Amino acid sequence: MDMNLLHDITFYVMYAAMAIAIFITIERGIYFAYVRRQARALTAVLDANVHSERDLPQGLTQRDSLPLSMVLPVLAQKASHGSRKDLDDVIETQYLTTRAPLARSLWIIETITTAAPLLGLLGTILGIIDTFKALASAGVSDPGQISGGIGTALFATGLGIAIALFCVVFHNFFQDSLERINDQLKILLIRAATGARVQSEVPHLVPTPLHSRTA
C-alpha cells in the first residue's frame, strides 16, 4: 500500500471539505441576509387592512421569498373568516415549515467540523509512517528530508484544526442567526394574522322579542 498516495488523498479530501465549507458559508450568509431583509419589509407593511397578496406592495411580491411564502397562506385563511383554530393551525404549520429551508446544508458544516481534525490526524499518521518507511530503507542519510517529511505530516493536523475552527465559528454564527430569524418570522406571522375576523368573533344578531315590539 502506497502511504504517500493515501497521504496525498487525505490532503485532497481536506481541501475539498474546506472549499465546500466556504461555499456553504457564502450561500447561507447571502440567503439569511435576504430572508431577514424580506421579513423586515413585510413586517413593516402588514396590518389589519392587508388581506391578500394584492394588498401588499408590488416590490415585495415580484420575487419569491420564504417570508412571502409563509405569509400568503395566513392571509388567505384570514380572508376566509374561518375559525380561530384554523388560523392558528395555519400559523403553526407555516412556522414549522421554515426550519428545513433555513437549516439546509448546516449539517454539512457540522460534519466537517467533526471530520476535519480526524482527517488531519490521519494525514499526520500516514505521513509519519511513510517517513519511517523511508528511514528503514535508506537510513538517516539526509536529516533534512526526514524533518521535511515530519513537517509535512504535522501540517495535515494543523490544516484539519484550522478547517474545524473555521467551521465552528460560522456554524455557531448561523445557529444564532437561525434563532433570530425564527423569532422574526414568528412576529411576521402574528402581524399577518392581525385584524382577522374569525367565526367566534362574528357578532350574532339577536331577534327582538315580539312583546317588546308591541310595547
Side-chain angles (χ1 to χ4, degrees):
M1 183 178 296
D2 190 352
M3 292 297 177
N4 192 29
L5 177 61
L6 292 177
H7 187 235
D8 291 340
I9 291 175
T10 304
F11 270 105
Y12 294 148
V13 172
M14 285 194 291
Y15 288 138
M18 184 64 177
I20 292 172
I22 292 175
F23 174 79
I24 294 176
T25 298
I26 296 173
E27 187 271 336
R28 288 290 89 185
I30 295 174
Y31 182 73
F32 279 14
Y34 176 68
V35 169
R36 296 185 72 169
R37 185 170 65 250
Q38 290 294 105
R40 285 195 298 266
L42 283 171
T43 302
V45 300
L46 284 174
D47 54 29
N49 298 321
V50 178
H51 295 278
S52 68
E53 184 177 358
R54 295 188 300 272
D55 299 328
L56 295 172
Q58 187 177 2
L60 296 178
T61 59
Q62 288 179 343
R63 295 182 59 185
D64 189 23
S65 65
L66 180 63
L68 180 63
S69 64
M70 293 172 55
V71 165
L72 294 182
V74 177
L75 292 179
Q77 181 63 33
K78 174 182 174 180
S80 68
H81 305 302
S83 66
R84 185 69 202 185
K85 182 180 182 303
D86 292 337
L87 182 60
D88 290 340
D89 288 343
V90 172
I91 292 175
E92 184 69 19
T93 300
Q94 294 304 311
Y95 178 71
L96 292 176
T97 56
T98 62
R99 301 197 67 86
L102 289 174
R104 186 182 59 199
S105 302
L106 293 183
W107 67 270
I108 298 178
I109 295 182
E110 187 174 3
T111 301
I112 294 175
T113 301
T114 305
L118 299 178
L119 287 171
L121 182 60
L122 177 62
T124 297
I125 293 173
L126 293 176
I128 291 175
I129 291 175
D130 189 61
T131 302
F132 285 162
K133 287 180 64 177
L135 279 174
S137 61
V140 191
S141 58
D142 187 1
Q145 292 183 353
I146 298 172
S147 60
I150 297 294
T152 303
L154 294 176
F155 175 72
T157 300
L159 179 61
I161 293 175
I163 294 173
L165 288 174
F166 174 84
C167 292
V168 163
V169 170
F170 281 98
H171 183 266
N172 292 338
F173 170 76
F174 287 137
Q175 289 297 328
D176 181 69
S177 298
L178 190 63
E179 294 300 323
R180 293 176 183 271
I181 292 175
N182 280 331
D183 293 339
Q184 196 171 6
L185 294 177
K186 188 183 297 184
I187 295 173
L188 177 64
L189 291 173
I190 295 174
R191 288 292 300 271
T194 301
R197 189 177 177 84
V198 296
Q199 287 181 359
S200 59
E201 297 175 349
V202 177
H204 298 282
L205 296 177
V206 180
T208 305
L210 183 61
H211 63 82
S212 63
R213 298 178 184 174
T214 57

